[in-house]
Amino acid sequence: MSPAAARNCRDKLATRRLLAEAGLPAVRYAHVRDEDEALRAADAIGYPVVVKPRSLAGSVGVVIAQDAGDLRRVHHHAAEAAYPGLDPLDGLLLEEFLSGPEISVDAAVHDGDARLVNVARKRLGFDPFFEEVGHLVSPWRHEPWADELTDLLTEAHRALGVRTGVTHAEVRLTPAGPRLVELNGRLGGDFIPRLGKLATGVDLTAVAVDLALGLRPELRQARDVCAEVRFLYPPRDCVVGSLDVSAATAVPGVVDVVPLAAPGTRLLLPPRGVVPRLAAVIVTGDTPDDCRRTLDEASALVRSEIEPAGEAA
């Protein structure tokens, strides 16, 4: 990916401006530098609004405000947010709240030709902080919004100057149609490439390598089933004592249970901590209901011992 395209993806304000210039479906937004500006912009846009840093990751600092009082209470979460290794850009982005389910879309772009590879239904938690607690990759090309989604993302890649590479887009399926939240110039996180390979047979990591070598990647699907990951969180801020996933791994349909917190790890729930997860449970199934049942059974078998964070400190 070119440096210019990478900057356009990294800076959410630049993304919004370029999408608007390209005439893509509008999302009302404002660039705000302090709480007073945010309050004035929110009045103009209309509540609820979403406040987010311009350049962080993992939904860190992204909060929703239902009214002016709410905005005063949550503004500092976005303004003070930090993500290891990423420098914040000037000011915050304030946007209209987009209602509807949220999905992510992984695409491969070769010589300006953007091809959508898989779609993940996003599971969100810890309202109002948009914590991503799971993802389901499942068949999508039969959906009523499939063609409109394809058109939107094809044009979005063009508007941001993305001609080569893999991308990870966040999209809301609003009553008025799909609306782009952001387009990231990278592979998806949270095991999404692995889910995609399990569900479709397309290995996005290999696709990224092919693109880096100047080769046209192989994108033909070998299957079209479901794969889902669920992240397990502690019930409160804690220090992890032990974690046992052995019983969960034996459940039929479970592909893997990945421990994510070693003994001694301090986990702080949103908005205080960054992705404070105990483990990831990865499953496959013919339908989303199959995945849900397997996840429920396996998640209940993960055993953890924790100490309250305050006492351990």
Side-chain angles (χ1 to χ4, degrees), residues 17 19 132 154 203 209 238 244 258 260 274 293:
R17 287 171 172 164
L19 295 178
E132 297 175 12
T154 298
D203 185 342
V209 173
C238 71
D244 183 358
V258 184
L260 298 176
V274 177
R293 285 190 290 268

Side-chain angles (χ1 to χ4, degrees), residues 148-172:
E148 193 173 354
L149 175 71
T150 301
D151 292 343
L152 171 66
L153 290 180
T154 298
E155 293 303 317
H157 283 86
R158 185 174 294 121
L160 300 185
V162 180
R163 295 190 53 80
T164 302
V166 291
T167 64
H168 179 73
E170 313 284 349
V171 177
R172 281 275 182 168

Side-chain angles (χ1 to χ4, degrees), residues 82-246:
Y83 193 96
L86 296 178
D87 294 327
L89 297 176
D90 173 54
L92 301 173
L93 192 63
L94 188 143
E95 299 176 342
E96 67 171 301
F97 175 73
L98 300 171
S99 62
E102 186 167 358
I103 62 174
S104 65
V105 184
D106 293 292
V109 191
H110 179 265
D111 196 24
D113 180 22
R115 300 291 182 92
L116 278 54
V117 178
N118 57 49
V119 169
R121 275 77 169 180
K122 188 177 296 190
R123 312 309 198 191
L124 296 175
F126 295 94
D127 185 71
F129 298 109
F130 295 91
E131 179 81 6
E132 297 175 12
V133 299
H135 306 272
L136 166 69
V137 173
S138 59
W140 62 277
R141 297 184 190 277
H142 65 286
E143 297 283 4
W145 40 260
D147 289 344
E148 193 173 354
L149 175 71
T150 301
D151 292 343
L152 171 66
L153 290 180
T154 298
E155 293 303 317
H157 283 86
R158 185 174 294 121
L160 300 185
V162 180
R163 295 190 53 80
T164 302
V166 291
T167 64
H168 179 73
E170 313 284 349
V171 177
R172 281 275 182 168
L173 301 174
T174 77
R179 296 293 183 267
L180 182 64
V181 176
E182 59 186 53
L183 182 67
N184 300 288
R186 56 169 174 80
L187 285 163
D190 281 358
F191 299 99
I192 289 175
R194 187 173 183 187
L195 298 179
K197 185 177 181 181
L198 290 167
T200 70
V202 179
D203 185 342
L204 271 173
T205 305
V207 167
V209 173
D210 284 343
L211 290 168
L213 295 173
L215 305 174
R216 180 174 291 277
E218 175 56 64
L219 300 177
R220 184 169 51 247
Q221 285 192 207
R223 50 189 172 272
D224 202 15
V225 296
C226 300
E228 186 167 1
V229 61
R230 179 183 295 176
F231 297 106
L232 306 185
Y233 293 75
R236 58 187 181 275
D237 294 350
C238 71
V239 173
V240 178
S242 65
L243 188 65
D244 183 358
V245 303
S246 56

Side-chain angles (χ1 to χ4, degrees), residues 67-89:
D67 53 38
D70 214 9
L71 182 54
R72 290 189 184 93
R73 285 189 293 273
V74 302
H75 178 271
H76 74 96
H77 288 299
E80 298 169 5
Y83 193 96
L86 296 178
D87 294 327
L89 297 176

Side-chain angles (χ1 to χ4, degrees), residues 261-277:
T265 303
R266 190 167 187 254
L267 299 179
L268 304 179
L269 297 179
R272 296 174 296 281
V274 177
V275 287
R277 298 161 174 170

